[in-house]
Amino acid sequence: RKNTKRVPSFRKLLRTSQIKLDNKLKNKQYKQKSAAKKYRKEQKKLREAVRDAISRKPFPLEECKKKQVAKKWEEKEEEEEALPLDMMDEDDLKLMEDLAQKASFLTRDLSSNEPVHIKKRKHESVIEKYEKVPRRLQTEPEKELIHLLPIKDKSGIIPQAVEKPVLNVAHDEEEDAEDMEEAEDFNEEPLPVLTPEEMAAQRRQKLQERKMHIAALASAILSEPDSNIKKLKELRAMLMEQDPNVAVIVRKLVMVSLMEIFKDIAPSYKIRPLTDVEKATKVKKETQKLREFEEGLVSQYKFYLENLEQTIKDWKQRKLKKSNVISLKAYKGLAEVAVKCLCELLVALPHFNFHNNIIVLIVPLMNDPSKMISELCVEAVKKLFKQDKLGYASLGVVKVISGLVRGRNYDVRPEVLKVFLHLRIKEVELQKDSEDIAPKKKFMTYKEKRKNLSRMQRKWKKAEEKLERELLEAEASESKEKKLKLHTETLNIVFVTYFRILKKAQKSPLLPAVLEGLAKFAHLINVEFFDDLLIVLHSLIASGDLSYRESLHCILSAFHILSGQGDVLNIDPMKFYTHLYKTLFSLHAGGTNEDIGIVLQCLDVMFAKRRKQVSQQRALAFLKRLSILALHVLPNSSVGILATNRVFMQTFPRMDLLLDNESQGSGIYLPELDEPEHCNAQNTALWELHLLQRHYHPTVQKFASHLIAGAPTEGSGVLPLDLSQRSATELFETYCMKGMTFNPPVASVAPRRKDTFLQRDSFVDEELNKQLQQHIIETVAHKPLDFAKHLKESSLA
């Protein structure tokens, strides 16, 4: 009868309970474990039996004691008596007795390789025993063995050996001949070896193919972004190019291409994720297509930013991945391109998704040791501040910078704080208090309408307000109150950062940037902090730890505070006047010439805007010292200083005292005294103007002649309009000589004829006059006081 048992169907297996299946699985595992355990026990017994057989040694009868020998002989006699000797032949019995006398045949362990009558030593080691054992048994056939290193375990040393294979000489010779023939054939047809030119051509071809592929994908995406959004993924996959010959260039090209694509196809609004309710509702095909496009765009943009971030992290950590084909040297170039792409996206897409993530990546790189990367990030942040009209992006950057400065314990580069100077914050917008900045009601409430308007007027008012709201939404315009709030919050964070550094890190290299920032935004600080801030600024100047530039910024900050909302305060900043008067002689025509611009700003705030609070004696002292300083500096600084002196002479009365050669009162002028009020400046004269009137720069000559004439506003000594209508700071920047060019340009001289003896002689006289004039100017620049004394003595004589 056939076996009717069938394989259970799938449905029957489904009906089988889970408990039964688990029990079957447990039983199967238990059987496997028990079988494995049994096998291990058998192997263990087998190893022990082999170990016992190896460890047995032959019993040497020669060294046994007499008692043991006698005892064994007695036992053997008993055994012999027990044996049926009558059944054995006499010859066999005699042979057995002889063998018994030797005793080595019966008691020897045949598994041992040791000799029969070896002497046992007390201190014989296992290794020595192994060395004394012969290498092969006498009974073995003649085979050559290759002895390997032995294995040592608990029982002892186990020898290891392998038979040496017998070589068939004829067969080997045939194989060698075949190998030689194959080698000759191989040598006849070697593999093609590429020359450097061919390798370069092959690399150019591969690179051209990749470029064409990138261009095709990019043009397809830009032509129809909605339908070809999936090709962004294909293009982004090329960031993982694995061909080592073109990997670096291809990745750089893909980074830049994706950056330009995202700049072009990104919408002018922020894409938010859809809610569950919105996903469940049915929409039109066009709406669904737009949703898919936005979702794919945000997803690919996110992955792209993550790739850029990972590239920068790998370069920072000097981490080389196993599957990467790019060397560590190429990481820096890739990281620089990644930083450039992030900077471009930071400036171009401040309204799009993940902009705060880009800010968090870029701001720490402003403090990077690499000068190129830090400059890229600083310039990008400056551009962002300049073009940010609303203030959202600026607020985000300022928050991250403040956290960075605090987190690094104020150990950051000064350029990080100097970007605050480029914030686009107007003075008028932030002159109100926080209560006035609160949003005001634009539309009337229902009660006000009910009370003041008729039914028809309420109807018209409602329609008008609805239209205004729609217009505001269509234009996406931000209200002025919201903008003021953002600017106020931004400036508060800036001031908190500045005040922390002034309080906790006064010796930090960030102090000049802080003082420069305070000088720009000091008029926007709350009046309550003015007294404390002025005390801090004066203590910094009095400490003597500041450089002349930092002290100039302190003075400028203090007078900006007093010229704005600080007008209501009754404070006499005489100490700041004294310090500026003392600092003027620290400047010269060398590297400090550029700081004359800060001095001109200070003088404008201290004298022109506070003319009523300045005494005549103070103004005379500054006029004299500035005239001396004009001899020490470059032409652009001299022009700016003389323009400031012109303002002095036109603003303050009786400044023409210094143009008179006779003394006007008691006392002698003390030029080295640091107190402007007590130096007796009214008893000196502006003899420096006569030297400046012969200056090599024509503009300096014009200003000096104008001041000698008393700075008239009309008449023969008046200045040209292009000079009189400009401020001192503008003139200083206009005649700047940074490009090593003379301003105004020197007129070209016609070529001379053949020099005669007289012409050469006159030319030498001109050169001597120029050298003498230059020597006089240098002497005055180094020792102006001695030269002035000499002129006075000569005039009296």
Side-chain angles (χ1 to χ4, degrees):
R1 187 180 177 183
K2 294 182 180 181
N3 190 7
T4 58
K5 188 175 180 181
R6 297 180 179 178
V7 179
S9 63
F10 181 71
R11 292 183 178 179
K12 190 174 181 181
L13 287 174
L14 288 176
R15 288 197 299 270
T16 306
S17 65
Q18 186 64 34
I19 298 173
K20 190 174 181 180
L21 292 175
D22 293 343
N23 291 336
K24 284 184 178 181
L25 181 62
K26 288 180 182 178
N27 291 336
K28 186 177 180 181
Q29 292 175 351
Y30 177 74
K31 286 181 182 179
Q32 290 176 354
K33 288 181 182 179
S34 60
K37 190 175 181 181
K38 186 175 180 182
Y39 175 75
R40 286 197 299 271
K41 285 184 179 180
E42 291 176 355
Q43 291 295 322
K44 187 177 179 181
K45 288 180 181 179
L46 184 62
R47 285 196 300 272
E48 289 176 355
V50 172
R51 201 181 299 127
D52 293 341
I54 293 173
S55 63
R56 289 175 185 170
K57 309 295 180 188
F59 195 80
L61 297 179
E62 289 79 4
E63 295 183 2
C64 292
K65 295 181 181 180
K66 294 181 180 181
K67 292 183 180 180
Q68 294 177 353
V69 173
K71 186 176 180 181
K72 286 185 178 181
W73 275 108
E74 291 175 0
E75 291 178 355
K76 289 180 184 274
E77 287 177 358
E78 291 177 359
E79 290 178 357
E80 288 176 359
E81 290 176 358
L83 287 173
L85 299 177
D86 55 346
M87 296 178 65
M88 298 179 65
D89 295 338
E90 293 180 359
D91 297 335
D92 296 335
L93 184 61
K94 188 176 180 180
L95 179 63
M96 292 293 292
E97 289 176 354
D98 295 338
L99 291 172
Q101 292 292 332
K102 294 180 181 179
S104 62
F105 177 75
L106 296 176
T107 58
R108 185 181 177 189
D109 188 1
L110 295 179
S111 63
S112 176
N113 296 329
E114 294 180 359
V116 179
H117 298 293
I118 188 170
K119 293 183 179 180
K120 187 176 181 181
R121 297 177 185 176
K122 292 182 180 180
H123 304 288
E124 191 175 25
S125 64
V126 181
I127 298 175
E128 291 176 353
K129 288 181 182 179
Y130 171 76
E131 292 294 336
K132 291 180 180 179
V133 173
R135 297 299 181 189
R136 62 172 181 260
L137 296 175
Q138 296 294 331
T139 57
E140 288 183 353
E142 290 294 331
K143 290 184 179 180
E144 290 187 25
L145 297 177
I146 299 173
H147 294 280
L148 306 177
L149 291 174
I151 299 173
K152 184 178 180 182
D153 60 358
K154 293 180 181 179
S155 61
I157 294 176
I158 302 172
Q160 299 288 325
V162 177
E163 291 183 7
K164 188 174 182 180
V166 180
L167 298 175
N168 191 349
V169 180
H171 182 65
D172 290 345
E173 289 177 355
E174 292 176 1
E175 288 182 352
D176 291 339
E178 292 176 0
D179 292 337
M180 289 294 292
E181 291 175 1
E182 291 178 1
E184 289 174 0
D185 295 337
F186 181 78
N187 291 331
E188 290 175 0
E189 297 178 0
L191 290 174
V193 179
L194 297 177
T195 61
E197 292 80 7
E198 293 174 347
M199 292 176 66
Q202 186 177 5
R203 181 175 177 274
R204 282 196 297 270
Q205 183 181 358
K206 288 182 180 178
L207 195 58
Q208 188 64 24
E209 292 175 358
R210 302 293 196 282
K211 287 181 179 179
M212 294 300 294
H213 188 47
I214 293 170
L217 290 173
S219 60
I221 295 168
L222 292 175
S223 60
E224 294 181 0
D226 298 341
S227 56
N228 294 327
I229 192 65
K230 292 184 179 179
K231 291 189 177 181
L232 269 175
K233 185 177 181 181
E234 185 180 351
L235 183 58
R236 192 175 55 81
M238 294 182 72
L239 285 171
M240 298 294 116
E241 176 66 41
Q242 295 298 318
D243 192 345
N245 293 327
V246 296
V248 178
I249 297 179
V250 169
R251 293 188 184 188
K252 289 181 180 179
L253 291 173
V254 173
M255 283 182 189
V256 178
S257 302
L258 283 170
M259 180 261 295
E260 294 293 340
I261 289 170
F262 283 121
K263 283 169 63 177
D264 287 340
I265 67 175
S268 59
Y269 54 87
K270 193 173 183 179
I271 300 173
R272 63 173 182 82
L274 298 175
T275 60
D276 295 335
V277 178
E278 290 174 341
K279 291 178 181 179
T281 55
K282 291 183 179 181
V283 293
K284 296 179 181 180
K285 289 183 179 180
E286 291 80 4
T287 308
Q288 185 63 28
K289 189 176 181 180
L290 179 61
R291 286 183 176 180
E292 291 175 357
F293 165 72
E294 290 179 345
E295 186 178 357
L297 177 63
V298 171
S299 175
Q300 294 302 320
Y301 187 58
K302 178 185 176 184
F303 289 139
Y304 172 62
L305 294 178
E306 288 175 352
N307 287 334
L308 296 180
E309 180 185 8
Q310 191 61 43
T311 303
I312 297 171
K313 282 185 178 179
D314 291 343
W315 169 64
K316 283 286 184 187
Q317 300 171 359
R318 303 294 190 272
K319 187 188 293 183
L320 186 63
K321 297 181 179 179
K322 295 180 180 178
S323 61
N324 208 341
V325 295
I326 295 179
S327 62
L328 280 172
K329 292 181 180 179
Y331 269 29
K332 185 177 181 181
L334 282 174
E336 288 176 356
V337 176
V339 171
K340 287 180 183 177
C341 294
L342 286 172
C343 292
E344 287 287 334
L345 294 173
L346 177 76
V347 177
L349 302 177
H351 54 274
F352 196 55
N353 299 53
F354 309 114
H355 191 257
N356 289 333
N357 302 75
I358 299 175
I359 291 172
V360 173
L361 285 175
I362 289 295
V363 169
L365 292 176
M366 295 166 63
N367 193 41
D368 194 80
S370 175
K371 188 176 180 181
M372 180 181 178
I373 289 178
S374 63
E375 287 179 355
L376 280 174
C377 298
V378 168
E379 291 300 322
V381 173
K382 288 179 182 178
K383 287 181 184 177
L384 182 66
F385 283 164
K386 289 178 182 178
Q387 73 176 24
D388 186 22
K389 297 179 180 179
L390 304 178
Y392 286 107
S394 299
L395 178 60
V397 174
V398 168
K399 282 182 179 179
V400 179
I401 290 176
S402 178
L404 176 70
V405 173
R406 189 177 182 183
R408 298 283 179 89
N409 197 18
Y410 313 104
D411 185 17
V412 296
R413 300 178 64 188
E415 288 78 8
V416 178
L417 280 186
K418 285 184 180 179
V419 297
F420 287 162
L421 301 174
H422 299 270
L423 283 168
R424 190 174 179 177
I425 298 177
K426 296 180 180 179
E427 299 179 9
V428 181
E429 292 177 346
L430 291 175
Q431 285 180 349
K432 300 179 181 180
D433 295 332
S434 58
E435 297 178 357
D436 299 331
I437 292 172
K440 298 175 182 178
K441 298 176 183 178
K442 282 190 175 181
F443 306 110
M444 297 175 67
T445 60
Y446 179 75
K447 291 182 179 179
E448 290 174 347
K449 292 176 185 176
R450 185 99 177 171
K451 184 177 180 181
N452 300 324
L453 303 176
S454 63
R455 184 176 179 182
M456 186 59 68
Q457 286 175 337
R458 288 199 300 269
K459 190 175 182 181
W460 280 102
K461 192 71 176 176
K462 184 177 180 181
E464 184 182 351
E465 290 178 356
K466 184 179 179 181
L467 181 60
E468 287 180 3
R469 288 193 182 97
E470 289 177 356
L471 288 173
L472 285 174
E473 291 176 2
E475 295 175 1
S477 60
E478 296 289 332
S479 62
K480 187 176 180 181
E481 290 80 6
K482 198 168 187 180
K483 190 175 181 181
L484 289 174
K485 272 189 174 181
L486 289 171
H487 286 178
T488 305
E489 187 177 357
T490 303
L491 207 58
N492 285 340
I493 296 172
V494 171
F495 283 138
V496 165
T497 307
Y498 285 165
F499 293 157
R500 280 177 184 161
I501 295 172
L502 284 176
K503 183 179 180 181
K504 299 181 180 180
Q506 291 185 355
K507 295 184 179 180
S508 170
L510 299 176
L511 190 61
V514 171
L515 296 173
E516 196 172 351
L518 283 175
K520 182 174 182 180
F521 300 115
H523 57 283
L524 304 174
I525 305 174
N526 196 346
V527 183
E528 298 174 358
F529 302 108
F530 280 3
D531 290 336
D532 296 334
L533 191 55
L534 286 173
I535 292 170
V536 170
L537 292 175
H538 182 262
S539 63
L540 285 173
I541 293 174
S543 65
D545 298 331
L546 302 182
S547 65
Y548 75 93
R549 183 182 176 87
E550 295 169 0
S551 61
L552 288 176
H553 281 303
C554 276
I555 296 167
L556 190 58
S557 303
F559 281 97
H560 271 304
I561 291 171
L562 295 174
S563 63
Q565 303 176 52
D567 288 338
V568 296
L569 301 176
N570 188 15
I571 297 175
D572 183 18
M574 182 58 195
K575 298 175 182 178
F576 295 104
Y577 281 98
T578 303
H579 189 75
L580 179 62
Y581 186 75
K582 182 170 57 177
T583 309
L584 288 178
F585 277 161
S586 302
L587 305 172
H588 50 76
T592 62
N593 185 77
E594 296 299 322
D595 299 324
I596 298 292
I598 307 173
V599 173
L600 297 177
Q601 294 178 31
C602 292
L603 292 169
D604 182 50
V605 178
M606 295 165 69
F607 289 93
K609 296 181 180 179
R610 292 175 60 87
R611 62 175 67 92
K612 294 181 180 179
Q613 288 87 357
V614 178
S615 64
Q616 181 186 0
Q617 189 67 27
R618 195 181 304 175
L620 287 170
F622 270 93
L623 181 61
K624 175 62 179 177
R625 182 156 288 196
L626 286 173
S627 299
I628 297 173
L629 180 62
L631 297 171
H632 294 244
V633 291
L634 293 180
N636 62 328
S637 300
S638 297
V639 171
I641 290 171
L642 293 177
T644 304
N645 286 351
R646 177 176 176 269
V647 173
F648 273 61
M649 298 181 74
Q650 292 178 350
T651 304
F652 297 96
R654 301 187 65 188
M655 288 290 108
D656 54 351
L657 289 174
L658 301 182
L659 299 176
D660 191 359
N661 200 18
E662 298 178 1
S663 60
Q664 298 292 328
S666 61
I668 301 173
Y669 174 56
L670 303 173
E672 296 180 356
L673 191 67
D674 291 334
E675 290 293 335
E677 297 283 351
H678 308 290
C679 66
N680 300 322
Q682 73 277 3
N683 295 328
T684 185
L686 295 178
W687 53 265
E688 296 87 2
L689 296 177
H690 291 279
L691 287 175
L692 293 170
Q693 198 174 8
R694 296 190 293 272
H695 198 277
Y696 67 88
H697 199 283
T699 309
V700 177
Q701 295 177 10
K702 291 177 183 177
F703 266 101
S705 302
H706 174 69
L707 292 177
I708 287 175
T713 56
E714 57 184 14
S716 59
V718 70
L719 272 179
L721 287 176
D722 60 332
L723 297 177
S724 61
Q725 292 180 354
R726 292 185 184 181
S727 65
T729 309
E730 290 178 2
L731 291 168
F732 171 76
E733 293 174 355
T734 303
Y735 292 98
C736 182
M737 301 176 68
K738 282 186 178 179
M740 300 302 292
T741 56
F742 194 81
N743 189 8
V746 181
S748 60
V749 181
R752 296 180 180 181
R753 298 179 180 177
K754 290 184 178 180
D755 292 335
T756 60
F757 179 78
L758 294 175
Q759 287 173 342
R760 287 198 301 270
D761 196 15
S762 62
F763 178 75
V764 171
D765 291 341
E766 289 176 5
E767 288 295 325
L768 286 174
N769 288 331
K770 286 183 179 179
Q771 290 179 8
L772 181 61
Q773 187 177 355
Q774 184 67 27
H775 177 68
I776 292 172
I777 292 174
E778 290 177 357
T779 306
V780 173
H782 289 290
K783 297 181 179 180
L785 303 178
D786 297 342
F787 193 73
K789 186 177 179 182
H790 176 68
L791 282 179
K792 281 190 176 182
E793 291 175 356
S794 60
S795 62
L796 291 173

